[in-house]
Amino acid sequence: MKRLKDAQKDAKIERIQRIDRGKDFGRFGLDARRLFVDETRYHIEPLCEHIRKYKSLGDLVEIADVGGGNGILAKAVLDELGEEYPHLTIDLLDLDDSKFPNGEKRIRYVVHDAREPLGKQYDALLARSMLHYNTPAEQKQIIAEMATGTRAGGLVTIVQPTPMSRKNKKEINGLYDLLCGMKSSNKKCWLTLAEITRLVERSGLQIQESKWLENGKYTVDGFYKERYKLSDEEIEKVRTYLAGRPGVYMPTSVITAIRR
């Protein structure tokens, strides 16, 4: 029995460590690597500025990366603030523990469903590119839980690709219905920046800034082909849906809000 338990434990460790998750987006094509790896510094900038403004160097600083399983954002925050703040810790929260990267001493890996209460309050929370895996009602719940899980004066940062209009949203949701239908994967639900901003405000958070970054190029060859492992026949179906265009434009939105 002990040998079986040891073997199961070793198998789980191997499963967690077998992939360098920092290269994950590289396998999704050049578009994804640019948007989610190369631009990470812009995504964590509001959080880092907030910590530097409101926390002393000797303070305990607790941050959560919600749904951030591959650890790219958590590691970037630790690299940026870790030397300045020796008592900074980051909780990396994700429902799928197979995404967790190799261990970092100041990052705590926690299996957590973002739709459920966080169980504690943080000085800052960060969530990137995870809302669309949930229904609109679940997205509302996730944002509400993030608001409740933030200390007074704390910052919530949501980084999320967003359609630019309702018309654009309908087109993009239709595209993902096609992609997910071909691959029997879970449906994606994209909301506009205005819709996410309203959910943030209704959660009781006070918006600090809500903006688009000048990016958002998702092409068949640069993203969809690799991300969904499309066959030649499936690629043609996507190109037909796009009516000859190389892809869609969906800029990354960065929304920051304070818990009062």
Side-chain angles (χ1 to χ4, degrees), residues 2 21 23 28 30 33 49 60 102 109 116 118 126 130 138 142 202 208:
K2 185 176 185 299
R21 304 301 295 191
K23 297 177 181 177
F28 290 174
L30 295 177
R33 179 160 190 87
E49 288 180 357
L60 172 65
N102 294 337
Y109 305 108
E116 300 295 328
L118 288 164
L126 181 63
M130 52 83 69
E138 290 170 334
I142 289 168
R202 290 170 183 171
Q208 296 296 290

Side-chain angles (χ1 to χ4, degrees), residues 77-93:
V77 172
L78 189 59
D79 288 345
E80 180 69 22
L81 295 176
E83 290 190 11
E84 295 174 56
Y85 292 88
H87 305 297
L88 177 148
T89 61
I90 301 175
D91 283 359
L92 178 57
L93 313 177

